[in-house]
């Protein structure tokens, strides 16, 4: 059974699906069309309105039959909140989503990073892709409860003050697409001009927080402009364009190969100053604005001609270099060996052949847009290790997508029983690490073990 990480997705079989979140939580769902908007009260499924066409809620379990959803339905977003209203989710056990298919066959499980002050969590979403449906793990929290949910699902709040403050809608996403299958490409930044003054505003805020300045990069700006324009044309915030291209794919397609990436997707502010002010007042947006690791940025806006809403995309990144790729791999190895040491196990030695196979798999997952231990050609971890020249008798593999750092990915693996078992397997003696930026979720990690 797959275990998803934030941003990870999974194709779904046909038929009825069961989504269960046990624990002290209220489960609800929002059914939306391609615009990301609910069509009315009937599109909210919760304890006081437990049924809708194709959806039924009973206690902690939501049953969905995509084929029976209302006409035009393209997405079902699963939302959880504390059963005791007002309780921060950080005081409760970590929620875990269990997904099963018709007949009770387990499909996947997802445990998001533990929330803190948030009182509502977008846990996952089912979304139409072509003629089929997929599941994406989210884990996006809101400290301002249902008001935050309302903003993201298109509910505008109008105030009578003059001038009226901007209503801000934002999409915060876990983590890119298309790096060459021949291996990582290293790049350097190219400068861009700052006609809007955004760079000055952003770097002023970073300086006050002790963060180093960033430089504008024309490739990031180009990707930001393309994504902002697409959101304005569609009339809603989204991490993906109408053709399914993610904001991360736009970055790599523009020629920027990154080690770390961050994004702001926002609607509402009218000027760059308003945008930066929004970031300074919003916890998650502020963390991205002030992230010390970022060295480059790109910034763009576009106006929806129908509504006049302004859509913004800000991209932040650190370019991939041979040195920082090696450093990141070393950090994953060090964190892995620290976990083994705590369990009384010997450290793993880096095997260049395993590392080559792991790097090739991460790069391949980005280039061919899949996330699996089994490659599209049917090859398995041991096949890839052998193809790289390894003669290890026993092979194990952990993969992950969406994490932004070595510490985060190892923590995620350790919180998953299957991945943890690989890390702490006494028989393993060697390890190789692979990393690639791109794809739907932004980052793809591979950890290959051998004995």
């Amino acid at each position: 059974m797959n275990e998803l990480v934030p941003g990870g997705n999974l194709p779904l079989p046909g038929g009825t699906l069961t989504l269960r979140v046990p624990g002290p939580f209220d489960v609800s769902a929002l059914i939306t069309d391609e615009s990301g908007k609910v069509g009315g009260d009937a599109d909210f499924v919760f304890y006081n309105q437990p049924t809708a066409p194709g959806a039924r809620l009973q206690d902690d379990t939501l049953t969905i039959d995509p084929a029976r959803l209302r006409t035009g339905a393209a997405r079902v977003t699963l939302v959880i909140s504390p059963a005791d209203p007002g309780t921060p989710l950080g005081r409760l056990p970590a929620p875990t989503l269990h997904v099963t298919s018709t007949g009770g066959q387990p499909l996947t499980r997802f445990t998001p990073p533990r929330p803190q002050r948030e009182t509502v969590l977008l846990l996952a979403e089912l979304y139409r892709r072509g003629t089929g449906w997929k599941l994406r793990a989210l884990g996006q929290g809101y400290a301002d409860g249902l008001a935050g949910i309302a903003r993201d699902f298109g509910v505008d709040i109008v105030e009578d003050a003059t001038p009226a403050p901007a209503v801000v809608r934002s999409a915060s996403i876990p983590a890119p697409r298309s790096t060459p299958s021949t291996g990582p490409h290293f790049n350097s930044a190219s400068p861009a001009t700052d006609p809007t003054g955004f760079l000055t505003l952003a770097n002023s805020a970073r300086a006050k927080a002790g963060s180093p300045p960033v430089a504008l990069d024309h490739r990031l700006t180009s990707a930001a402009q393309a994504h902002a324009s697409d959101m304005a044309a569609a009339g809603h915030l989204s991490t993906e364009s109408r053709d399914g291209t993610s904001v991360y794919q736009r970055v790599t397609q523009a020629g920027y190969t990154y080690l770390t990436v961050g994004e702001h997707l926002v609607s509402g502010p009218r000027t760059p100053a308003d945008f930066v002010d929004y970031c300074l007042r919003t916890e998650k947006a502020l963390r991205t604005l002030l992230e010390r690791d970022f060295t480059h940025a790109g910034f763009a806006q576009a106006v929806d001609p129908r509504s006049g809403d302004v859509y913004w995309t800000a991209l932040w990144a650190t370019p991939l270099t041979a040195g920082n790729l090696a450093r990141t791999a070393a950090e994953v190895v060090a964190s892995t060996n620290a976990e083994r040491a705590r369990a009384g196990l010997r450290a793993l030695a880096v095997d260049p052949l395993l590392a080559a196979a792991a790097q090739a798999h991460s790069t391949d997952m980005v280039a061919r847009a899949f996330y699996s231990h089994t490659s599209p050609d049917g090859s398995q971890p041991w096949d890839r290790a052998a193809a790289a020249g390894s003669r290890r008798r026993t092979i194990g593999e952990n993969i992950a997508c969406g994490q932004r750092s070595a510490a985060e990915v190892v923590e995620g693996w350790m919180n998953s029983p299957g991945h943890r078992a690989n890390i702490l397997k006494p028989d393993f003696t060697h390890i190789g690490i692979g990393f690639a930026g791109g794809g739907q979720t932004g980052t793809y990690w591979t950890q290959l073990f051998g004995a």
Side-chain angles (χ1 to χ4, degrees), residues 396-431:
E397 183 180 76
N398 287 342
I399 59 175
C401 62
Q403 294 84 358
R404 305 300 177 96
S405 68
E408 184 180 345
V409 74
V410 173
E411 180 182 10
W413 281 328
M414 287 299 293
N415 288 333
S416 164
H419 298 91
R420 179 187 179 93
N422 270 343
I423 288 176
L424 300 183
K425 186 171 182 176
D427 292 346
F428 286 142
T429 58
H430 289 78
I431 190 173

Side-chain angles (χ1 to χ4, degrees), residues 61-411:
T61 301
L62 179 69
T63 303
I64 299 289
D65 184 351
R68 296 182 57 238
L69 292 171
R70 68 163 173 84
T71 301
R75 194 177 302 263
V76 180
T77 303
L78 183 70
V79 181
I80 66 165
S81 55
D84 183 10
T87 302
L89 288 167
R91 297 182 186 175
L92 302 177
T96 297
L97 170 65
H98 301 264
V99 183
T100 57
S101 64
T102 303
Q105 177 66 35
L107 292 177
T108 192
R109 179 170 56 192
F110 170 53
T111 302
R114 189 178 183 87
Q116 298 300 321
R117 294 183 297 168
E118 293 90 339
T119 55
V120 176
L121 189 72
L122 300 188
L123 191 56
E125 62 182 6
L126 283 70
Y127 63 101
R128 188 189 300 276
R129 178 63 74 234
T131 59
W133 286 75
K134 301 180 76 173
L135 173 78
R136 179 183 289 116
L138 296 177
Q140 178 185 352
Y142 291 79
D144 50 352
L146 291 178
I149 299 290
R151 284 194 294 270
D152 269 12
F153 283 83
V155 179
D156 291 328
I157 302 170
V158 179
E159 299 188 24
D160 293 331
T162 304
V167 177
V168 178
R169 297 189 295 275
S170 66
S172 176
I173 55 182
R177 187 178 296 226
S178 289
T179 56
S181 59
T182 52
H185 169 70
F186 306 119
N187 58 33
S188 59
S190 300
T193 59
D194 181 30
T196 66
F198 165 75
L199 183 65
T200 300
L201 293 166
N203 278 336
S204 175
R206 289 173 64 87
K208 291 177 182 178
S211 298
V214 295
L216 285 181
D217 182 274
H218 73 91
R219 294 162 296 183
L220 295 178
T221 298
S222 174
Q225 187 62 69
H227 197 76
S229 297
D230 194 277
M231 290 194 298
H236 70 97
L237 294 166
S238 178
T239 64
E240 295 182 6
S241 300
R242 290 165 294 176
D243 64 358
T245 302
S246 76
V247 66
Y248 308 112
Q249 290 171 297
R250 290 196 182 279
V251 172
T252 52
Q253 288 169 359
Y256 191 106
T257 307
Y258 59 82
L259 178 73
T260 54
V261 67
E263 64 290 316
H264 290 118
L265 308 180
V266 176
S267 173
R270 292 288 172 178
T271 68
D274 290 340
F275 177 89
V276 173
D277 182 63
Y278 156 74
C279 293
L280 294 174
R281 294 183 287 104
T282 309
E283 183 177 356
K284 289 184 178 180
L286 180 62
R287 287 201 300 268
T288 299
L289 175 67
L290 302 182
E291 171 58 56
R292 295 183 58 85
D293 289 344
F294 294 139
T295 56
H296 303 110
F299 179 78
Q301 67 184 80
V303 179
D304 181 347
R306 296 155 298 188
S307 66
D309 290 341
V310 183
Y311 288 82
W312 305 81
T313 299
L315 298 172
W316 312 81
T318 302
L320 184 67
T321 66
N324 60 30
L325 178 60
R327 184 177 65 252
T328 297
E331 289 171 352
V332 174
V333 173
S335 295
T336 299
N337 280 333
E339 297 293 347
R340 289 177 64 87
R342 277 191 278 274
L345 301 172
R346 61 182 173 178
L348 302 173
V350 174
D351 182 331
L353 298 178
L354 294 180
Q359 182 60 53
H361 189 55
S362 286
T363 302
D364 192 31
M365 287 192 288
V366 171
R368 291 201 277 180
F370 73 97
Y371 176 67
S372 175
H373 295 289
T374 304
S375 299
D377 59 11
S379 63
Q380 301 287 340
W382 42 89
D383 300 319
R384 295 189 289 271
S390 174
R391 296 187 178 182
R392 301 285 171 193
R393 294 171 298 173
T394 304
I395 295 293
E397 183 180 76
N398 287 342
I399 59 175
C401 62
Q403 294 84 358
R404 305 300 177 96
S405 68
E408 184 180 345
V409 74
V410 173
E411 180 182 10

